[in-house]
């Protein structure tokens, strides 16, 4: 699947390349649209390269159907997760693929990468048992950040959003409490940890407002634009805040340290949380599309309906 130009999406034929010694060939079963990132590239929003074609997607569940001559970690028929694009077949190095636990349904496992993106932000927050956490943005990344904060010991975990339907979903899914940012002024300094997961530039100032003295603000969402005037003396410096950038590309390649873990480790952890019943992604599936209807999926994405969350693509 390709985005050849702004606002255009189409399926393209391609030839499967010859495998390198450490590569595996995967026949895709399910992929997941990443709503924020894919919409941003589709519509050429700020802080995207603006260069086309783009081949989007980074959450792929499939079956191993080919092995390079040096592959040792996988066998034919293994079900695997990889950060590869929306495509019927894909090739990945065996070091960049993880095995899906037995019995975990494809529709659930396909959320592994968005869970891991939220996870690296929560790891960087270093939440202590009993600390309060506010998550701004009740999209997929925000919802996963809420659940992972709760699993890390955050009490209470509070969701903030402008849309009441998303707040109600958050409350049903995991949040201990909710705050509608569109209904009056939000309180000042109510929480130790704030995780900004919306990517909306104004929400950065909201995060500073909500953080208590010596609190931590984690910028997890990818902001698509420039935040307006920030009073750093009043809102950051005098409050003694720690501001943490948490883009997933800052994961370590080799050496891990507390709070900074390799992508493959967090993929495995995400899948294990699902397999052990600690994380249920089923309430987050809002749409399922066949691969041949990919243009319909992107029309749904373009509509920006707040009820649109997990959009699963079926390649079987």
């Amino acid at each position: 699947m390709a985005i050849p130009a702004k606002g255009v999406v189409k399926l393209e034929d391609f030839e499967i390349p010859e495998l390198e010694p450490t590569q595996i060939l995967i026949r895709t079963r399910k992929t997941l649209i990443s709503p924020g990132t894919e919409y941003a590239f589709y519509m050429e929003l700020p802080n995207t390269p603006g260069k086309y074609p783009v081949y989007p997607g980074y959450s792929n569940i499939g079956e191993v159907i080919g092995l390079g001559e040096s592959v040792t970690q996988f066998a034919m028929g293994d079900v695997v997760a990889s950060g590869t694009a929306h495509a019927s077949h894909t090739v990945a190095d065996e070091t960049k693929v993880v095995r899906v636990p037995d019995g975990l349904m494809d529709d659930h496992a396909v959320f592994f990468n968005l869970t891991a993106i939220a996870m690296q932000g929560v790891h960087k927050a270093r939440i202590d048992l009993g600390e309060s956490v506010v998550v701004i943005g009740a999209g997929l990344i925000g919802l996963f950040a809420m659940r992972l904060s709760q699993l890390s010991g955050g009490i209470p975990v509070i969701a903030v959003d402008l849309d009441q339907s998303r707040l109600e979903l958050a409350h049903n899914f995991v949040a201990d409490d909710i705050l509608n940012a569109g209904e009056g002024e939000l309180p000042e300094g109510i929480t130790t940890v704030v995780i900004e997961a919306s990517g909306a530039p104004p929400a950065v100032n909201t995060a500073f407002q909500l953080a208590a003295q010596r609190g931590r603000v984690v910028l997890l969402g990818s902001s698509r634009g420039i935040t307006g005037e920030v009073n750093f003396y009043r809102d950051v410096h005098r409050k003694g805040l720690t501001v943490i950038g948490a883009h997933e590309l800052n994961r370590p390649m080799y050496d891990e340290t507390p709070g900074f873990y390799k992508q493959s480790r967090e993929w495995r952890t995400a899948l294990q949380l699902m397999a052990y019943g600690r994380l249920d992604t089923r309430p987050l599936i809002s749409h399922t599309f066949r691969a041949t209807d990919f243009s319909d999926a992107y029309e749904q994405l373009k509509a920006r309906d707040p009820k649109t969350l997990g959009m699963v693509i079926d390649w079987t």
Side-chain angles (χ1 to χ4, degrees):
M1 197 281 290
I3 302 174
K6 177 182 176 179
V8 179
V9 62
K10 67 176 184 176
L11 289 173
E12 294 182 342
D13 292 329
F14 67 98
E15 296 211 1
I16 297 172
E18 185 175 342
L19 294 180
E20 299 291 334
T22 60
Q23 289 181 328
I24 63 174
L25 174 62
I26 302 164
R27 180 169 56 217
T28 303
R29 299 192 339 189
K30 299 289 173 65
T31 58
L32 180 72
I33 289 177
S34 176
T37 299
E38 294 190 40
Y39 178 79
F41 279 77
Y42 182 53
M43 299 306 295
E44 200 178 337
L45 297 187
N47 295 332
T48 59
K51 296 179 180 179
Y52 298 97
V54 174
Y55 298 93
Y58 46 70
S59 301
N60 186 302
I61 301 294
E63 179 182 348
V64 176
I65 62 169
L67 300 167
E69 60 185 18
S70 300
V71 172
T72 60
Q73 300 180 44
F74 298 96
M76 298 287 283
D78 283 348
V79 180
V80 296
S82 66
T84 51
H86 299 293
S88 62
H89 295 75
T90 187
V91 172
D93 193 273
E94 68 171 332
T95 61
K96 299 185 182 299
V97 177
V98 299
R99 189 174 284 102
V100 175
D102 293 341
L104 185 60
M105 300 293 290
D106 295 344
D107 283 357
H108 306 164
V110 78
F111 286 87
F112 74 99
N113 209 350
L114 291 188
T115 303
I117 290 170
M119 188 181 300
Q120 57 87 29
V122 172
H123 275 144
K124 291 179 175 69
R126 306 299 299 274
I127 298 166
D128 202 1
L129 191 66
E131 282 193 299
S132 58
V133 180
V134 165
V135 178
I136 301 173
L140 287 176
I141 296 296
L143 291 167
F144 287 132
M146 293 172 208
R147 179 60 179 148
L148 295 168
S149 295
Q150 189 181 64
L151 289 170
S152 299
I155 301 174
V157 174
I158 302 168
V160 175
D161 201 284
L162 290 166
D163 185 80
Q164 189 62 29
S165 66
R166 285 204 167 184
L167 286 171
E168 289 169 2
L169 173 64
H171 208 180
N172 292 332
F173 181 63
V174 67
D176 299 306
D177 204 352
I178 57 176
L179 288 172
N180 192 317
E183 297 180 354
E185 284 293 317
L186 291 173
E188 296 271 351
I190 63 169
T191 184
T192 309
V193 177
V194 182
I195 299 176
E196 201 302 290
S198 73
V204 176
N205 276 327
T206 302
F208 294 158
Q209 173 187 339
L210 292 169
Q213 294 287 117
R214 298 178 298 282
R216 304 186 296 287
V217 173
V218 178
L219 303 181
L220 176 58
S222 296
S223 294
R224 304 299 176 186
I226 298 173
T227 298
E229 292 185 4
V230 181
N231 188 330
F232 280 100
Y233 173 74
R234 181 193 65 199
D235 297 334
V236 179
H237 178 57
R238 187 173 178 181
K239 291 175 75 172
L241 299 187
T242 299
V243 182
I244 303 165
H247 196 288
E248 66 154 349
L249 293 182
N250 287 313
R251 287 192 182 97
M253 293 292 292
Y254 304 105
D255 296 328
E256 297 182 325
T257 56
F260 290 81
Y261 301 112
K262 291 187 291 187
Q263 186 177 62
S264 58
R265 170 176 172 155
E266 294 187 316
W267 284 356
R268 289 190 185 95
T269 301
L271 291 165
Q272 288 174 332
L273 288 171
M274 297 174 198
Y276 278 88
R278 309 286 177 84
L279 176 63
D280 184 4
T281 62
R282 287 174 296 182
L284 305 183
I285 300 172
S286 61
H287 298 80
T288 298
F289 296 90
R290 294 197 61 79
T292 50
D293 298 324
F294 216 108
S295 59
D296 293 340
Y298 260 57
E299 282 301 307
Q300 182 68 38
L301 181 66
K302 187 177 178 180
R304 307 305 284 164
D305 182 348
K307 293 184 175 61
T308 298
L309 287 170
M311 303 173 71
V312 177
I313 308 300
D314 186 349
W315 296 85
T316 58

